[in-house]
Amino acid sequence: MKRIKKDYPFFNLFSIVGTWESINLNPTVIIYRSDKEYLLSIIYVSETTKQASPATYEIQQDGSQYFIAPASKRLYVDYDPAKDVLNISSLGHYLRN
């Protein structure tokens, strides 16, 4: 299905800065600004060692859509300001912590 602007309206990245917890038990996400770019860190926790390790990606823009590009694929970042819910494609919905 093609993503169109009407379905995923433009939002200001400043509005999603903060810590987000998955409602699907996926890794926690932290979004922050560094100089002029916005970064998204996914905090992975090892099941065996219980060690946390972050993976950080620059949030990029393609037209009106934001995305991160881990391992040569795009994960789209969408935000519903009315519900204050972040959605990361393939990771699901996140609530602000």
Side-chain angles (χ1 to χ4, degrees):
M1 177 201 263
K2 176 107 173 107
R3 297 167 60 85
I4 58 175
K5 184 176 181 172
K6 178 179 70 102
D7 297 330
Y8 300 94
F10 180 78
F11 58 90
N12 185 334
L13 286 175
F14 181 76
S15 64
I16 63 170
V17 168
T19 303
W20 296 85
E21 290 188 9
S22 172
I23 62 172
N24 303 321
L25 302 177
N26 284 318
T28 296
V29 167
I30 300 172
I31 298 173
Y32 57 98
R33 185 175 178 182
S34 176
D35 293 322
K36 294 183 180 181
E37 58 192 19
Y38 285 86
L39 303 172
L40 183 149
S41 290
I42 301 173
I43 311 301
Y44 296 99
V45 178
S46 167
E47 292 291 322
T48 55
T49 65
K50 304 299 182 204
Q51 292 279 99
S53 59
T56 301
Y57 308 97
E58 179 183 356
I59 299 176
Q60 301 175 45
Q61 186 173 3
D62 181 9
S64 65
Q65 301 171 5
Y66 294 111
F67 67 94
I68 59 172
S72 71
K73 63 179 180 177
R74 285 187 177 187
L75 296 182
Y76 288 93
V77 178
D78 299 311
Y79 175 63
D80 182 343
K83 296 179 183 176
D84 197 27
V85 173
L86 184 74
N87 183 53
I88 302 173
S89 61
S90 84
L91 292 178
H93 297 295
Y94 282 79
L95 300 176
R96 195 179 300 269
N97 184 351

